[in-house]
Amino acid sequence: MIINTELEYKGNLYPSRIIDFKKEVDSAFFYTDNDVILKITIVRDSLLRFRYTTKGYFSPDFSYAIDENHSRGYNHFEVVEEPDFYHVKTSKLDCHVSKADLRTAIFDLKGNAVLEDELGFHWEEIYEYGGNIVKMSKVSKDGENFYGLGDKATHLNLKGKRLENWATDQYAYHKDQEPLYKAVPFYIGLNGKDAYGIFFDNTFRSFFDFCHERRNVSSFWADGGEMNYYFFYGPSMHDVVAAYTDLTGKPELPPLWALGYHQCKWSYYPESKVKEITSRFRELRIPCDAIYLDIDYMEGFRCFTWNKNFFPDPKRMVAELAEDGFKTIVIIDPGIKIDKDYWVYNEGIANDYFCKRADGPYMKGKVWPGECNFPDYTNPAVREWWAGLFKELVGDIGVKGVWNDMNEPAVMEVPTKTFPLDVRHDYDGHPCSHRKAHNIYGTQMARATYEGVKRFSYPKRPFIITRSAYSGAQRYTSSWTGDNVATWEHLWIANVQVQRMSLSGMGFTGSDIGGFAEQPTGELYARWIQLGVFHPFCRTHSSGHHGEQEPWAFDDEVINVTRKFIELRYQLLPYLYTMFWQYIDESIPMLKPLVYFDQEDPQTHYRTDEFIFGNHILVCPILEPNAVGRRMYVPRGSWYNYWNNEIVQGGRESWIDVAFDQIPLFVKAGAVIPKYPVQQYVGELEFDELTLDVYYKEGKEESKVFEDAQDGYDYTKGRYSLRTFTTAGKGKELVLHQHKEGKFITPYNYFKINLIGLPFKVTAVEVDNEEVSLEELKFNIHNTLTVNKDFSELHIKGI
Ligand code: GLC
């Protein structure tokens, strides 16, 4: 290519003028004088894909992130030529493409600019590796705010920050440390009240700059690959997040037990220790569903082996734990020990499944077992082999979940903490170096693990957890936020990270409760549990080097707080399960930062601490020692203080008093909150009533309750129960309407309804238009009544 020097500025190259254009099916192609092609694809009316090449042709299109089942289709697509630019129009957007320099500007139908190129696409050639550093810069309007990007340990609002995506084993990271374990190159921009999103689907090391370098410029770039990004138009953050989540995919429902409490430590062994821990949970009556085995269950850290001194009969042990309601979850790392007497290693060598250096030899690196080779999970044959390795663990021994760690991939004792960059990968038939495959490696490992665990658990559902991830990993796995520290600052970080992951399509996430490194005080542990039970994934984990981190490692007060909050989580399981359903069915994030909940209220744009759990519960953790309360922002609307049912009007900052066994918790007026009885593990009890806490509101509110068999795949065939409750309060009346969908018959027969906040004294109740005596409804002074679950309308009247 001849470089036109006028198009070179500070080492960057720019597209020249457009000399041709073509419209084909769902795409418009623009060709410049210097061999740049821009391809704009209409995925949906409000979702455009921008793809650039500088070579005059496109390489084959391939992405691990995009879910092949994502929604597509649009109402309108036309290209209109003007003297200076082209319009690319859909029924929602008008994108201008400048003839002089290929810069784009996206407008809504009212003609407001949503996002305009600043320099737009530009690039730098890299002689050493070939290819380009691909760059994009956009105009950022005054007052614009930014959110998203996965696991970043920084303020929820990313304005003013520069961030890096390069999956890294970052032991004991600190606030603002970069980069971390995950690479999720998706962000949301919020201009005033209008939101848009960008997903830069490029797995190379990438960077995002949100007005850090230049005040009115946001930019992103990557060390190779294509400038290839998706633009999502809101204007609500909900639309942006839902469209991104739909594009990169949703998980299956987890088994309900996976939403219970999990206990972990590095490491519980031998068998007697594991049993001591699980029995103690039952003795102290602290609910728990899962127990983890960290690397010491293996023989010399060889994956898919057992240390028979510590675990002489794993199958028996796993069965005995299951009898007591405990699901066993084991860790599996990517590093396969180089050992000629080890079958997994031998199979890997025999089939040529391990990653190789550019010049041919297998890549070698140290992890827990010493020198290892590493499977190339970007090769479908390797994934298939890996999936098969779970036959014994899952199919025979009965392990219920697998924990994938060290998959950034992490390598010890080397400055880069990972593979050399020349390592080769198959990349599903698009061979490349580690520069391109690094960020996706962990996701492909988790994917292979998911396929294996699912195969051998079927017809039950698998449970997978991963440390590293790229966009789309949520289709296969849950995740945790890596090796945090037992400090108050890390409690703040955990709160931000899990909210951010939720906004980034990867909601099934939690932190190591209590902190992985170092030792929490009882107070810190209790405050962490109080937050952790409101995270979709809820597990205590610690390095175990500094002492114990089971609830009973602390005093009775802490044990009681722990029990109280874990019990609350177990009561809220149907609520949590319903929010999971809404996440996978409607792409609604499970945790909603306040800015997502009410983007029109500028007070929410910089809030970090408070979030909405599901649709109706406002949670605000206590993040400081010795707290007797805290200031917080209660978003607009009416809310009930969960602890005393007092009403608070939102839209302002308030001081909220709390005791040590409380955190500020509020329920949105009008909500119907379903509750199960406290169980020590999911499925322990059979019960004949579902509790519904109904919070009175003057006006209407909708709530849903999703249930099914709690495991298995029948729900995909319509065997679920989805109840939609609508409350309508008016003066001295409350109407509760129920609409039911789905073929699953819930095992209980009654609802126990707690009417909260009624501004009147109940005198009569009509069930489906017939008055039923209050005695028959077991109505009592607490405004509680019991009614058959099949009603359509409950009409509560009073004076
Ligand atoms: C890594 C993991 C941690 C695990 C440890 C030992 O540090 O992040 O969770 O306990 O390795 O396997």
Side-chain angles (χ1 to χ4, degrees):
M1 186 178 77
I2 300 160
I3 295 169
N4 177 347
T5 46
E6 283 169 24
L7 300 170
E8 211 174 334
Y9 175 67
K10 290 190 179 164
N12 287 317
L13 297 163
Y14 293 83
S16 62
R17 65 188 177 91
I18 297 179
I19 52 166
D20 198 6
F21 106 93
K22 172 175 91 182
K23 184 176 174 239
E24 216 173 65
V25 200
D26 56 356
S27 302
F29 295 79
F30 300 94
Y31 302 84
T32 74
D33 215 2
N34 62 345
D35 279 340
V36 177
I37 310 172
L38 162 61
K39 177 181 181 187
I40 302 180
T41 302
I42 317 300
V43 185
R44 295 162 72 174
D45 288 298
S46 53
L47 204 184
L48 309 182
R49 178 181 180 196
F50 294 80
R51 216 183 146 195
Y52 295 82
T53 175
T54 61
K55 303 177 294 198
Y57 61 91
F58 283 104
S59 302
D61 191 18
F62 177 75
S63 165
Y64 281 115
I66 306 298
D67 181 2
E68 57 182 30
N69 299 318
H70 72 87
S71 326
R72 61 200 104 191
Y74 46 83
N75 295 313
H76 182 73
F77 169 36
E78 78 179 312
V79 182
V80 180
E81 186 169 354
E82 301 272 358
D84 298 332
F85 63 91
Y86 294 90
H87 291 274
V88 176
K89 288 188 176 179
T90 74
S91 71
K92 298 253 172 76
L93 298 170
D94 178 5
C95 175
H96 294 188
V97 182
S98 156
K99 287 185 176 173
D101 52 17
L102 204 64
R103 282 192 298 168
T104 68
I106 301 171
F107 297 86
D108 65 17
L109 292 189
K110 288 183 233 132
N112 302 317
V114 183
L115 188 61
E116 290 174 88
D117 278 358
E118 187 247 354
L119 299 173
F121 172 56
H122 50 295
W123 73 97
E124 235 177 284
E125 290 189 342
I126 332 171
Y127 172 71
E128 201 188 336
Y129 298 109
N132 302 319
I133 299 176
V134 289
K135 309 179 184 184
M136 174 57 69
S137 67
K138 303 284 184 190
V139 175
S140 176
K141 297 182 196 165
D142 283 337
E144 181 170 11
N145 292 302
F146 301 92
Y147 308 90
L149 284 195
D151 63 349
K152 303 303 180 193
T154 193
H155 196 285
L156 195 76
N157 187 333
L158 299 170
K159 175 84 175 230
K161 316 248 175 220
R162 175 177 287 192
L163 303 124
E164 179 181 351
N165 289 315
W166 182 254
T168 303
D169 175 9
Q170 209 62 273
Y171 172 79
Y173 56 98
H174 52 75
K175 185 164 177 247
D176 294 323
Q177 178 144 9
E178 280 281 284
L180 295 182
Y181 301 88
K182 298 177 183 71
V184 185
F186 163 69
Y187 74 88
I188 303 148
L190 180 62
N191 268 311
K193 295 174 178 170
D194 294 340
Y196 67 88
I198 295 281
F199 171 41
F200 181 25
D201 188 10
N202 180 315
T203 56
F204 284 80
R205 186 192 294 265
S206 65
F207 295 85
F208 287 78
D209 186 299
F210 299 114
C211 310
H212 168 83
E213 187 176 313
R214 286 184 292 151
R215 189 164 163 263
N216 285 101
V217 179
S218 61
S219 57
F220 50 93
W221 63 98
D223 278 0
E226 276 180 4
M227 176 48 62
N228 167 34
Y229 71 92
Y230 293 81
F231 168 85
F232 308 85
Y233 174 61
S236 75
M237 275 176 96
H238 165 74
D239 291 335
V240 173
V241 171
Y244 167 76
T245 308
D246 178 77
L247 183 71
T248 55
K250 278 95 60 97
E252 297 169 344
L253 270 179
L256 185 60
W257 65 259
L259 299 180
Y261 173 72
H262 301 214
Q263 181 68 34
C264 187
K265 180 183 149 165
W266 179 14
S267 287
Y268 290 131
Y269 69 92
E271 176 179 337
S272 56
K273 181 73 190 178
V274 177
K275 293 272 185 61
E276 182 191 315
I277 299 293
T278 55
S279 318
R280 202 69 200 278
F281 272 99
R282 297 297 181 245
E283 273 160 36
L284 291 172
R285 301 205 55 79
I286 300 174
C288 184
D289 259 279
I291 185 84
Y292 282 62
L293 303 181
D294 204 331
I295 49 175
D296 298 284
Y297 80 89
M298 303 176 195
E299 179 62 50
F301 308 128
R302 289 169 189 81
C303 291
F304 305 100
T305 67
W306 289 81
N307 178 320
K308 289 290 168 91
N309 293 327
F310 298 152
F311 298 98
D313 187 356
K315 186 171 178 170
R316 177 193 39 75
M317 176 188 78
V318 167
E320 286 166 5
L321 290 170
E323 279 283 291
D324 200 16
F326 283 93
K327 273 57 74 175
T328 305
I329 297 174
V330 301
I331 196 167
I332 289 286
D333 288 348
I336 298 300
K337 187 179 172 73
I338 298 179
D339 170 1
K340 294 197 177 53
D341 297 323
Y342 170 34
W343 63 282
V344 180
Y345 170 76
N346 288 333
E347 281 188 23
I349 293 289
N351 296 294
D352 202 14
Y353 285 155
F354 296 128
C355 294
K356 286 182 180 149
R357 301 296 299 263
D359 295 330
Y362 287 120
M363 183 253 147
K364 227 166 62 169
K366 267 196 193 156
V367 252
W368 306 119
E371 294 285 6
C372 287
N373 289 148
F374 299 84
D376 180 12
Y377 301 103
T378 71
N379 178 342
V382 176
R383 288 199 299 272
E384 180 58 27
W385 166 65
W386 186 259
L389 295 176
F390 289 95
K391 184 169 191 302
E392 191 192 7
L393 263 182
V394 176
D396 182 26
I397 296 176
V399 159
K400 287 282 180 273
V402 173
W403 169 24
N404 281 166
D405 185 26
M406 307 294 275
N407 52 355
E408 290 68 32
V411 177
M412 294 168 171
E413 298 170 20
V414 295
T416 63
K417 300 183 178 186
T418 193
F419 291 4
L421 297 181
D422 68 274
V423 166
R424 305 291 300 160
H425 295 270
D426 179 68
Y427 215 88
D428 280 66
H430 310 81
C432 68
S433 77
H434 196 64
R435 295 171 67 242
K436 180 170 175 179
H438 176 85
N439 278 337
I440 200 78
Y441 186 86
T443 300
Q444 295 313 302
M445 179 195 188
R447 173 185 179 182
T449 301
Y450 158 81
E451 277 157 14
V453 179
K454 181 168 174 174
R455 187 175 306 165
F456 301 111
S457 323
Y458 199 83
K460 301 277 191 220
R461 302 175 203 153
F463 171 74
I464 314 298
I465 177 162
T466 184
R467 194 170 71 175
S468 185
Y470 181 78
S471 297
Q474 70 270 11
R475 302 205 292 276
Y476 318 112
T477 179
S478 65
S479 74
W480 91 105
T481 58
D483 294 343
N484 59 4
V485 189
T487 60
W488 290 94
E489 181 171 87
H490 260 277
L491 181 55
W492 180 92
I493 293 174
N495 182 23
V496 180
Q497 283 181 306
V498 179
Q499 289 184 59
R500 196 195 298 292
M501 287 292 284
S502 216
L503 272 191
S504 308
M506 224 174 273
F508 196 8
T509 302
S511 69
D512 282 352
I513 294 175
F516 178 73
E518 299 173 23
Q519 180 75 352
T521 59
E523 184 187 10
L524 176 59
Y525 182 76
R527 292 308 193 188
W528 211 313
I529 274 282
Q530 290 173 332
L531 171 63
V533 299
F534 296 104
H535 284 164
F537 175 65
C538 179
R539 177 184 79 165
T540 293
H541 181 41
S542 67
S543 71
H545 299 341
H546 305 273
E548 307 301 311
Q549 204 157 300
E550 296 78 36
W552 52 89
F554 308 100
D555 63 23
D556 284 351
E557 204 185 0
V558 174
I559 296 179
N560 292 336
V561 168
T562 305
R563 182 189 301 106
K564 174 173 169 175
F565 275 77
I566 296 180
E567 284 183 347
L568 176 58
R569 182 177 177 97
Y570 275 73
Q571 288 181 292
L572 289 174
L573 279 173
Y575 178 85
L576 181 50
Y577 202 48
T578 302
M579 75 201 219
F580 214 112
W581 168 255
Q582 291 192 289
Y583 163 45
I584 67 177
D585 190 50
E586 301 171 57
S587 301
I588 302 178
M590 292 191 272
L591 303 191
K592 300 167 181 67
L594 291 198
V595 61
Y596 175 100
F597 183 72
D598 189 359
Q599 75 192 54
E600 304 222 335
D601 173 5
Q603 294 297 324
T604 64
H605 295 184
Y606 269 92
R607 301 303 308 186
T608 45
D609 291 358
E610 312 86 350
F611 62 92
I612 313 289
F613 173 69
N615 296 326
H616 289 127
I617 300 181
L618 167 65
V619 178
C620 186
I622 295 288
L623 302 172
E624 284 175 1
N626 306 316
V628 290
R630 63 162 293 160
R631 286 199 79 76
M632 65 176 281
Y633 186 71
V634 179
R636 297 187 296 182
S638 301
W639 301 85
Y640 286 84
N641 184 324
Y642 180 80
W643 306 111
N644 59 21
N645 291 334
E646 271 170 23
I647 285 244
V648 176
Q649 289 309 329
R652 62 175 100 108
E653 270 206 41
S654 311
W655 171 269
I656 309 295
D657 288 321
V658 284
F660 183 57
D661 65 349
Q662 299 173 334
I663 57 169
L665 270 189
F666 294 87
V667 181
K668 193 162 181 232
V672 174
I673 309 288
K675 283 179 170 168
Y676 284 166
V678 171
Q679 304 177 81
Q680 297 309 300
Y681 56 90
V682 165
E684 183 201 24
L685 301 180
E686 282 176 15
F687 44 91
D688 203 27
E689 307 181 319
L690 175 73
T691 298
L692 298 177
D693 288 349
V694 177
Y695 291 83
Y696 180 85
K697 173 182 174 180
E698 189 72 24
K700 275 195 175 174
E701 189 75 28
E702 193 181 272
S703 309
K704 292 190 176 179
V705 180
F706 174 90
E707 291 166 287
D708 72 346
Q710 308 185 350
D711 205 337
Y713 288 91
D714 279 0
Y715 77 97
T716 61
K717 298 175 207 123
R719 277 192 280 285
Y720 59 84
S721 148
L722 180 64
R723 303 174 195 278
T724 305
F725 292 105
T726 318
T727 52
K730 196 160 182 259
K732 306 230 177 295
E733 287 185 18
L734 169 66
V735 176
L736 176 62
H737 185 269
Q738 171 177 221
H739 170 78
K740 215 185 144 287
E741 280 164 56
K743 290 186 280 188
F744 179 73
I745 312 283
T746 48
Y748 52 82
N749 290 304
Y750 298 96
F751 292 135
K752 181 176 175 210
I753 297 183
N754 297 319
L755 299 167
I756 297 162
L758 287 188
F760 55 85
K761 184 173 165 352
V762 176
T763 51
V765 177
E766 280 176 14
V767 181
D768 295 333
N769 295 322
E770 276 186 36
E771 187 158 339
V772 179
S773 77
L774 294 180
E775 292 86 80
E776 200 178 315
L777 294 168
K778 300 188 195 147
F779 190 86
N780 65 24
I781 47 159
H782 305 295
N783 276 351
T784 294
L785 56 93
T786 304
V787 62
N788 189 288
K789 68 175 177 180
D790 292 324
F791 77 84
S792 303
E793 196 168 279
L794 213 62
H795 199 146
I796 295 152
K797 301 179 180 178
I799 47 166

